[in-house]
Amino acid sequence: MFDKILIANRGEIALRVLRACKELGIPSVAVHSTADADAMHVRLAEESVCIGPPPARESYLNVPALLSACEITGADAVHPGYGFLSENARFAEILQEHDIQFIGPKPAHIRLMGDKIEAKRTAKRLGIPVVPGSDGPLSSDAETMSVAREIGFPVLIKAAAGGGGRGMKVAHRPEELANALAIARAESKAAFGEDAVYIEKYLARPRHIEIQVLGDGGGRVIHLGERDCSLQRRYQKVWEEGPSPALNGTARNSIGEAAAAAMQELQYLGVGTIEFLYEDGKFFFIEMNTRIQVEHPVTEMITDIDLVLEQIRVAAGGELALSQADVKFHGHAIECRINAENPVSFRASPGKIVHYHPPGGLGVRVDSAVYHGYSIPPFYDSLVGKLIVHGKTRGECLMRLKRVLDEFVIDGIETTLPLFRALVREKDVIDGDYHIHWLEEFLAGGGMKG
């Protein structure tokens, strides 16, 4: 096992990793920018190191500063959390070159799955169904039009190095294609430093289903069921639940086994999430995230498996202690991402929290690093915390969620709590009858009044 783990992140995920380290008896090092000097993970870690000023590129993305922090503290492993450097293959390689273990997949797998085109090719080779579309980057408007006519409109143009909805544009008709392609290329260049894009068939009302996998790098891989992440706004997940209300046992087992078999062939190491669109009984691979996910607590609640703890164990060279038969699913879990944003305009709302009262009770979990008097800085993402509830059934889970949302108090800043209080009372949500465009249609139709 590791002697000391440096946590190369901030906020709730840094605190989440710190807790796993403590439960394993491993000392941890918190790094922070000057803006995060009073952060909860800094207060609770055995050691802390300031790695730069507030801008992420000068602190949390500053590789030399992170290496220096490892050297100063004697950390022999780095947990990247999610975001920042968590899917940066070169960072993982640099750590290896300095005899520091990256707690995550092999750099080759990060690089492979980080290239959306290569990831799609690999999925197809491994027997995972993919969305019809181009086999590689598009070189011209003429080629794009040819592929689009072959697969049929509407089509979705996506950045090859993309994520989070950036560099994605829909063309519903042929006359919209050239403009959508130009915008997608420009957004991709600005966000990712390259303008390579590819094209896929645009599915009208699919669900977004993701499969959680865990491997030890030696060929042992299991899946831990699915999460339904279909309630989204601008391709950003808002509400996640598991198991999906749209799947039956046959579909669940089929796609889970296919995902695990593919990762077994790759000899995948660590946790990962394979994401699919699901429509008319068919699954279509869209991407794989080679890191811990924001919504991993949903899986933990329905399996009683600590994903971060297992992630650390296999990174340290341990064999996977669980077999697929050991994975038992029980009950239902829902996660709400609570952001420091106006619930109608979604404008960011940084500032000081003057009153904070998280809910409690059976089956309630709040993953957050904020506290009474804490100031949300304006430099990073707006996530305040994640509210996760569990129930024996989906109905019980929804009733519990209604109760705890009414208990949750955060004053001093605007948050998205009112959005979730509205959603949990919507018939379509209660019935589980929604798709990836449902939330935007709900908001456009005045579902949230200003």
Side-chain angles (χ1 to χ4, degrees):
M1 190 51 79
F2 302 120
D3 293 326
K4 188 179 291 185
I5 294 175
L6 183 138
I7 305 168
N9 216 297
R10 64 177 301 278
E12 68 87 16
I13 190 59
L15 186 58
R16 171 71 185 87
V17 174
L18 185 151
R19 287 169 172 160
C21 290
K22 286 182 179 289
E23 291 182 17
L24 286 168
I26 304 172
S28 59
V29 179
V31 296
H32 64 91
S33 68
T34 53
D36 282 335
D38 293 327
M40 185 63 78
H41 74 286
V42 177
R43 294 183 173 198
L44 294 182
E46 285 85 353
E47 298 177 71
S48 63
V49 178
C50 182
I51 53 171
R57 65 182 179 277
E58 299 177 40
S59 50
Y60 298 104
L61 295 173
N62 186 336
V63 174
L66 292 168
L67 289 173
S68 296
C70 288
E71 184 175 354
I72 291 167
T73 60
D76 59 342
V78 170
H79 196 301
Y82 54 70
F84 294 134
L85 295 167
S86 63
E87 292 180 288
N88 187 307
R90 183 59 190 140
F91 177 55
E93 290 170 341
I94 290 170
L95 290 177
Q96 288 183 351
E97 291 164 5
H98 288 80
D99 296 320
I100 300 168
Q101 181 65 43
F102 178 77
I103 300 176
K106 302 165 187 175
H109 291 158
I110 300 174
R111 188 169 282 115
L112 174 67
M113 293 301 171
D115 183 325
K116 300 299 185 287
I117 293 172
E118 284 303 315
K120 186 176 177 181
R121 287 173 177 160
T122 301
K124 194 172 183 179
R125 176 176 62 83
L126 295 174
I128 296 176
V130 300
V131 181
S134 58
D135 292 327
L138 300 159
S139 59
S140 67
D141 286 16
E143 181 190 10
T144 306
M145 182 61 76
S146 175
V147 175
R149 290 191 185 281
E150 181 180 344
I151 63 177
F153 284 88
V155 296
L156 179 65
I157 300 166
K158 302 175 72 174
R166 291 170 293 182
M168 294 177 66
K169 291 295 168 186
V170 178
H172 293 277
R173 295 177 293 277
E175 57 268 26
E176 298 175 0
L177 189 61
N179 187 54
L181 182 61
I183 294 173
R185 287 191 187 280
E187 287 186 1
S188 179
K189 183 71 173 178
F192 310 112
E194 57 180 271
D195 64 358
V197 297
Y198 63 105
I199 192 171
E200 288 181 346
K201 176 69 177 174
Y202 180 71
L203 302 178
R205 291 164 112 64
R207 308 285 291 222
H208 185 137
I209 306 292
E210 58 187 31
I211 303 296
Q212 179 72 61
V213 295
L214 170 64
D216 62 11
R220 291 187 177 139
V221 179
I222 59 174
H223 75 85
L224 294 96
E226 87 281 1
R227 297 182 292 257
D228 194 320
C229 307
S230 303
L231 286 175
Q232 304 176 8
R233 175 183 172 270
R234 295 183 179 176
Y235 301 105
Q236 296 292 322
K237 300 166 186 173
V238 170
W239 161 307
E240 301 101 352
E241 62 179 298
S244 169
L247 299 190
N248 59 31
T250 301
R252 177 173 298 113
N253 293 336
S254 174
I255 196 61
E257 289 168 6
M263 293 304 103
Q264 185 170 328
E265 186 169 336
L266 283 182
Q267 295 195 318
Y268 187 78
L269 172 65
V271 298
T273 302
I274 305 176
E275 307 205 359
F276 298 88
L277 294 180
Y278 176 74
E279 189 172 67
D280 297 329
K282 297 178 181 179
F283 288 92
F284 301 99
F285 171 86
I286 48 175
E287 65 179 356
M288 180 177 183
N289 290 305
T290 55
R291 53 171 168 79
I292 198 74
Q293 295 272 99
V294 177
E295 58 272 24
H296 76 271
V298 170
T299 297
E300 293 183 331
M301 295 287 265
I302 62 173
T303 62
D304 285 331
I305 295 171
D306 187 321
L307 289 175
V308 176
L309 189 145
E310 294 299 329
Q311 187 184 22
I312 294 170
R313 280 181 174 160
V314 296
E319 290 185 351
L320 195 60
L322 299 163
S323 70
Q324 193 63 58
D326 295 324
V327 180
K328 306 296 183 185
F329 303 103
H330 59 93
H332 198 93
I334 298 173
E335 175 181 289
C336 298
R337 298 193 192 191
I338 300 165
N339 293 333
E341 297 172 349
N342 179 281
V344 177
S345 69
F346 296 94
R347 181 185 63 251
S349 178
K352 185 176 181 178
I353 296 174
V354 298
H355 188 68
Y356 179 69
H357 177 75
L362 182 67
V364 179
R365 169 176 168 178
V366 177
D367 280 19
S368 177
V370 309
Y371 52 85
H372 178 83
Y374 176 76
S375 290
I376 303 287
F379 311 104
Y380 313 109
D381 68 76
S382 60
L383 184 66
V384 174
K386 304 175 313 197
L387 171 63
I388 311 101
V389 297
H390 181 269
K392 291 189 292 293
T393 64
R394 187 171 186 269
E396 180 179 276
C397 190
L398 285 166
M399 291 304 294
R400 183 162 288 153
L401 181 57
K402 286 182 184 179
R403 188 264 296 173
V404 299
L405 283 167
D406 288 340
E407 282 184 23
F408 212 150
V409 178
I410 305 174
D411 286 338
I413 59 170
E414 292 183 298
T415 74
T416 50
L417 279 170
L419 170 63
F420 295 111
R421 290 176 184 137
L423 289 180
V424 82
R425 290 168 170 82
E426 280 294 310
K427 183 179 185 302
D428 286 348
V429 175
I430 293 170
D431 293 342
D433 185 18
Y434 55 83
H435 48 82
I436 64 169
H437 308 300
W438 185 94
L439 180 57
E440 291 193 333
E441 292 173 1
F442 169 77
L443 295 169
M448 289 295 295
K449 304 295 183 182

